[in-house]
Structure formats: C-alpha cells, structure tokens
Amino acid sequence: EVLRLPLAERPGSLGERDVADAISEDLERLERISHRFELIGREPELEPLSLRAVVRDLERYMLARLPRLGRGVELVVDIPDGLPLVMGNKVLLIWAMENVVKNALDALAGRGGKITIYARVVVGGWVSLRIRDTGPGVDPEIRDRIFDPGVSSKSGGWGVGLALSRRIVEGVHDGRIELLEGMEGTTFQIRLPAADDDE
C-alpha cells in the first residue's frame, strides 16, 4: 500500500529502500512466529544450552526494539559465567522469556523504569532466572489467574503471552514459572532443571 502512494504522500517520505527494509523485517518476524508455533505443536528436541547465550540473544532482540516499545526503559542483564547448562529448546525458551519481558515493558509504558534479568543456581539441581520490573505490580484481582489464557490487565491484547510461557517452561521443559510475592514491582521466576554433566 505504501509503495502505491506517490513519494510525496508516503509517511515520512519513505523511499523504496525504507519500505523494502520494513517488509524484510516483517517477513523475518512472521517466519520466526510460524517456526515457534510449529515447534510448540509437537515435542521439540531438547539439547544442553547455555542460559547466558540464550539470554544474550533475547537481550539483542529486545534492545533493538526498546526505542519503539519501551522509551525510557533500561534493560539490565546479569547472567554470571559458570552456570550449569540447561536442557532446552533455544527458540521456545527465548519466546517464553520474551513474553515476560514484553509484559514488563507494558507495565512500564509511559513511565519508564528498569527491567532486570538475572540468573543463579538454586538447590535441587535447578537454575533460576528472574525477570523483575520497577512497575506498579500485578493487580491483586488477577494474581492467582495471571497464567490463565485470556487473563490480562491490559485493555488490548489476547492475554495468551504468559499462558504460552507457562506451557513452554512447564510443559516442554519440565521447569516452573511463577509470580513471586512480596517484591517491589513485578518479579517472575523461571526455574529450569540443570542438564546432567554426562549429557
């Protein structure tokens, strides 16, 4: 539609190169989305993964979008070296984490703030990843239903992001995702089983 417009009438006087770049970005996003749904519809293969590498990929993806999605939001990543590997599917784990980070961005919309992603080893053979924001917190009326499909504190949206994250973390990865109580802002914790050393 933009290409059909005379150059002078295009928003921001977009040239062919600008339009082509936007189409390319949209196609890449659609391919990624279709690949994700293809994976979640079957039993994906899990492999030993570095959580640090997974989160770094997520960080790169989100930093490129922060100027548009979260103006005034600072993203802080604290993933130490030496964490045990986790058994996982990289594409799906990034999707699960991205949904949580996007929820945090929505909570900080128009006010700015900070999102912190950090990971630690916890007892029992687990690796814990927490995503914390400095927003207003989750409405007490929906706290107990936050992972149910269709539940959202936003006026728009389908309320499926956190439900998908739970399916990916718990159904595919035998992990656990939870909303932590008694913390300032909102903190989600994702716990994943560490990969066995002999794998």
Side-chain angles (χ1 to χ4, degrees):
E1 288 177 359
V2 172
L3 285 171
R4 287 194 190 103
L5 292 171
L7 188 59
E9 293 178 26
R10 292 180 191 170
S13 298
L14 291 171
E16 271 74 11
R17 179 61 187 258
D18 298 317
V19 176
D21 288 347
I23 291 171
S24 177
E25 190 178 312
D26 285 344
L27 282 172
E28 186 182 319
R29 183 163 47 244
L30 287 169
E31 282 178 2
R32 187 169 52 248
I33 289 167
S34 66
H35 182 52
R36 288 171 168 180
F37 277 105
E38 178 187 326
L39 285 173
I40 205 167
R42 60 177 187 222
E43 288 289 323
E45 285 196 22
L46 306 183
E47 59 183 351
L49 295 175
S50 160
L51 197 55
R52 183 182 174 90
V54 171
V55 173
R56 287 298 178 200
D57 280 2
L58 172 66
E59 179 185 23
R60 278 192 293 275
Y61 176 79
M62 295 309 303
L63 284 176
R65 286 149 183 80
L66 273 183
R68 183 169 47 87
L69 297 176
R71 211 164 278 204
V73 175
E74 179 188 5
L75 182 64
V76 177
V77 174
D78 175 17
I79 310 292
D81 285 323
L83 285 177
L85 299 178
V86 297
M87 292 302 293
N89 177 284
K90 187 176 183 178
V91 171
L92 291 180
L93 275 181
I94 289 176
W95 192 14
M97 294 173 195
E98 180 190 321
N99 287 334
V100 179
V101 172
K102 283 184 173 174
N103 262 35
L105 283 172
D106 289 338
L108 297 173
R111 68 173 72 219
K114 183 158 72 172
I115 298 171
T116 306
I117 304 173
Y118 57 104
R120 301 291 182 265
V121 179
V122 292
V123 293
W126 296 89
V127 179
S128 164
L129 180 103
R130 292 185 178 187
I131 299 170
R132 181 179 68 214
D133 69 59
T134 58
V138 176
D139 185 337
E141 287 189 15
I142 65 168
R143 282 187 78 89
D144 294 339
R145 299 178 294 117
I146 194 76
F147 294 105
D148 293 349
V151 174
S152 176
S153 59
K154 297 177 285 188
S155 55
W158 293 353
V160 295
L162 290 177
L164 266 172
S165 292
R166 181 170 65 177
R167 177 168 177 184
I168 292 166
V169 171
E170 299 185 0
V172 175
H173 291 86
D174 291 325
R176 178 92 179 126
I177 182 169
E178 57 196 330
L179 173 62
L180 297 183
E181 301 280 349
M183 308 200 61
E184 206 172 317
T186 302
T187 301
F188 285 94
Q189 176 173 251
I190 295 172
R191 284 186 298 147
L192 297 166
D196 294 333
D197 291 336
D198 57 354
E199 290 196 43

